[in-house]
Amino acid sequence: MSSSVMNKTERKVTFSLAGVFAMRMLGLFMILPVLTVYGDQLIGATPALLGLAMGAYGVTQAILQIPFGFLSDRVGRKPIIFAGLILLMLGSIVAANSESVYGVIIGRALQGAGAVASAIMALVSDLTREEQRTKAMALIGMSIGLSFCIAMVAGPLVTQWWGLTGLFSFNGLLALIAMVLVWRVPTPVQQLQHRDTFPVISEIRQVLANTDLLRLDLGIFVLHFVLMALFVALPLALERLAGLPREQHWWVYLITLLSSFVAMLPFIILAEKKRKLKPVFLGALCLLIISLVSMLWSSNHFTGLLLNIFLFFMAFNWLEASLPSMVSKLAPAGRKGTAIGIYSTCQFLGAALGGIAGGLVYQRYGFTGVISMAALVAVIWWVISWSMTTPPYLTTLMVNLKPVNDQSVADVSAALSAIHGVQEVVVIAEEQSAYLKVDRARLDMQALQAFELKA
């Protein structure tokens, strides 16, 4: 932890892999605001099948993202990432050349099969120093959020100009650009196997037994369930109920996303700096529910619908940004990678089932049915979250130890635990590492750095 500045290689790795994440997620997200309004051109299209097409990527993503991560240990990070991006490109080509909704469903499932998030994060860990890793992960997280915002605007514009065929072809081009970015990244000399990045199979049961983490897993499941269900119905409501032509949808998302992002910033500061995380979390969830319920009465009124879209995105953006941070705070030392792996799987399952359920409900009950379902699911989440433990304001750190053996683990653990601000220590002898949960506001950084030098 001796340097606070990234070196040239770390900057290249971080920005290149952030670009890979952004290209990949941009392609997957761009379909959300357009599929149901343009998908009626596809042979055999029904709301239920279009919902399945929207959520299909989440099914394969949820199934394959952890196995792809483990496979990258065996054959290398970059080969797995290239393979995943090739699947993304193939899925885009299949969907672009399909005249039927079934071809688009197959294409979307192939797109999701390129589940390389774990492998990318592992490559970041291999090529950055511990003291720069959190910064690198944060920049990648920002790239994902930015790609979502761009996708909501770019999706309607690209589809307006070139149709669904052009949109999926553009997805394939993004996958190709991502491959070029991966090619620019150095191949790691040594692959790290540490528990802040990777799930540990033997610890999945213990993590699933943690009720506070389970609440957050349910939370990200519900959040993406609601998002996907909403985007089955919302574009159709803008066009058919509020009377806004599909060619103009892009500016609705531009205005509401930008303004909601600015509006949520004070609440991020309040939650983190003022340590009001739980009340702000429950407040954001209330706002999400209010925006959904209000949509039931504003769907025929453009101004009211616009306001509620703004409120929805304000709550969604805050929750999307804060839930991973809460998982990191609550995950026991040495089990963060396992906790994040389970959390990510729940996220993709939520997206899959949200699209599927949204399509089925819309086909039978229309806009009102979808929004009522989404609001009900969000209310259940709020009730379950009411009794959650306030997440501790702790950060995970990893300390490299050389040498350490089974006999010296207790001594190393005791020495680290004695450092002011260290709340929890787990020493893994086979990894020559210690995982700490620390309160950065109280941490004696000089003592920790001195320990590292001696270790």
Side-chain angles (χ1 to χ4, degrees), residues 17-26 117 120-121 140 143-144 147:
L17 294 180
V20 173
F21 248 113
M23 296 297 104
R24 181 172 171 272
M25 299 313 296
L26 182 60
I120 293 173
M121 289 302 191
I140 288 174
S143 76
I144 297 171
S147 68

Side-chain angles (χ1 to χ4, degrees), residues 10-11 142 182 291-292 294 325 328 332-333 343-344 366 380 410 418 431:
E10 288 169 332
R11 288 195 297 272
M142 290 171 60
V182 174
S291 69
L292 291 169
S294 298
S325 173
S328 181
Y343 171 89
S344 298
I380 294 171
E431 294 181 18

Side-chain angles (χ1 to χ4, degrees), residues 11-257:
R11 288 195 297 272
K12 180 178 179 179
V13 167
T14 299
F15 287 107
S16 294
L17 294 180
V20 173
F21 248 113
M23 296 297 104
R24 181 172 171 272
M25 299 313 296
L26 182 60
L28 292 172
F29 286 145
M30 284 174 70
I31 197 69
L32 300 189
V34 299
L35 184 58
T36 53
V37 288
Y38 286 89
D40 56 3
Q41 305 164 4
L42 297 168
I43 297 170
T46 65
L49 288 174
L50 290 173
L52 175 58
M54 191 175 291
Y57 90 92
V59 177
T60 47
Q61 186 98 342
I63 293 170
L64 294 173
Q65 61 117 8
I66 290 180
F68 267 39
F70 287 126
L71 192 58
S72 75
D73 283 345
R74 300 289 185 89
V75 302
R77 316 294 191 209
K78 291 176 70 173
I80 288 298
I81 296 171
F82 278 122
L85 292 173
I86 289 170
L87 285 172
L88 176 59
M89 180 184 290
L90 287 176
S92 301
I93 293 170
V94 168
N97 288 279
S98 297
E99 296 182 357
S100 79
V101 68
Y102 299 102
V104 172
I105 291 169
I106 293 170
R108 286 285 284 173
L110 275 172
Q111 284 184 322
V116 294
S118 295
I120 293 173
M121 289 302 191
L123 185 56
V124 173
S125 297
D126 292 339
L127 296 172
T128 57
R129 292 166 294 165
E130 169 61 25
E131 60 269 25
Q132 300 301 327
R133 200 162 295 141
T134 300
K135 190 186 301 181
M137 297 295 187
L139 288 169
I140 288 174
M142 290 171 60
S143 76
I144 297 171
L146 182 61
S147 68
F148 176 78
C149 295
I150 294 173
M152 291 299 102
V153 178
L157 287 173
V158 171
T159 311
Q160 175 189 334
W161 297 328
W162 298 306
L164 286 176
T165 296
L167 177 65
F168 283 116
S169 298
F170 186 67
N171 289 179
L173 176 61
L174 292 174
L176 183 61
I177 295 171
M179 288 186 214
V180 174
L181 292 174
V182 174
W183 177 77
R184 293 182 68 249
V185 174
T187 299
V189 176
Q190 179 182 10
Q191 293 187 170
L192 302 179
Q193 306 290 325
H194 65 71
R195 301 174 179 220
D196 270 1
T197 304
F198 270 108
V200 178
I201 293 178
S202 62
E203 294 181 349
I204 289 177
R205 181 177 296 179
Q206 294 94 315
V207 171
L208 287 173
N210 186 315
T211 55
D212 288 319
L213 287 174
L214 276 179
R215 284 188 180 93
L216 299 179
D217 295 336
L218 172 69
I220 196 61
F221 174 91
V222 170
L223 190 63
H224 280 258
F225 180 97
V226 168
L227 178 72
M228 297 296 284
L230 179 66
F231 272 100
V232 170
L234 180 59
L236 292 168
L238 283 169
E239 182 177 56
R240 299 176 184 178
L241 301 179
L244 184 70
R246 64 184 69 178
E247 293 80 14
Q248 297 185 35
H249 287 192
W250 66 271
W251 66 260
V252 170
Y253 301 121
L254 176 64
I255 291 173
T256 53
L257 279 164

